Amino acid sequence: MEQQRLAVFRKTHFNAAHRLNNPAWSDEQNARVFGKCNNTNYHGHNYELVVRVVGAVDPETGYVIDLGVLNNLIDVNVLQKFDHKNLNLDTAEFANLNPSAENIAIVIYNLLRPKLNTNLDLKIRLYETERNFVEYPA
Ligand code: NI
């Protein structure tokens, strides 16, 4: 019988502040490119995080991955790092990396990937607003 692979999802959220700024650019260029997200004194977003794991259904458990285990991995490796933090000032990950939704999704992927079995595929979807969201890998 062909292996039955399917996707399971865990949806969670965190609140964080950030500022998008490229120190190599002038104030004018930063303001033009990043708009409100360039605000000098930072601003917050309510990030919605959807973690998608694809794998085969284990015939013994009926699970792809125990969602309680997945939730704990997200909590320990992502939420405890970023929730209620200023991403630019409080986190090593964004000390020198612009905390755009794109970069946050890539960082979250890289934090979780080593914690998951290699036979599971991982995809991160991150909503910065209800209408603006990114997915990594594409
Ligand atoms: Ni912003």
Side-chain angles (χ1 to χ4, degrees):
M1 191 178 114
E2 199 178 306
Q3 259 201 339
Q4 294 179 299
R5 289 173 64 83
L6 74 135
V8 299
F9 300 82
R10 176 70 190 183
K11 192 175 171 183
T12 183
H13 72 272
F14 61 95
N15 305 314
H18 78 165
R19 182 191 188 205
L20 299 184
N21 187 65
N22 184 334
W25 293 350
S26 68
D27 290 350
E28 292 70 25
Q29 189 172 1
N30 273 300
R32 190 171 66 247
V33 172
F34 297 124
K36 287 179 176 174
C37 278
N38 184 239
N39 181 46
T40 309
N41 291 327
Y42 308 91
H43 61 279
H45 288 283
N46 298 316
Y47 291 97
E48 288 286 333
L49 172 63
V50 180
V51 175
R52 175 185 188 264
V53 175
V54 173
V57 177
D58 182 325
E60 289 188 332
T61 60
Y63 290 166
V64 169
I65 183 173
D66 184 324
L67 284 175
V69 170
L70 180 61
N71 186 44
N72 188 254
L73 284 176
I74 297 166
D75 186 50
V76 169
N77 296 287
V78 179
L79 303 187
Q80 287 182 26
K81 261 179 190 285
F82 300 147
D83 188 30
H84 285 73
K85 298 291 172 59
N86 179 312
L87 297 177
N88 303 76
L89 300 181
D90 298 335
T91 74
E93 286 79 3
F94 299 104
N96 297 300
L97 179 66
N98 217 16
S100 62
E102 290 87 336
N103 281 334
I104 297 169
I106 293 168
V107 163
I108 290 173
Y109 177 90
N110 289 333
L111 288 168
L112 291 177
R113 181 63 270 184
K115 309 293 181 186
L116 292 172
N117 200 309
T118 51
N119 60 15
L120 298 171
D121 292 329
L122 174 65
K123 189 170 278 198
I124 302 300
R125 177 181 281 201
L126 183 72
Y127 290 81
E128 190 171 77
T129 70
E130 224 174 287
R131 293 183 177 83
N132 295 341
F133 57 97
V134 300
E135 245 182 17
Y136 180 77

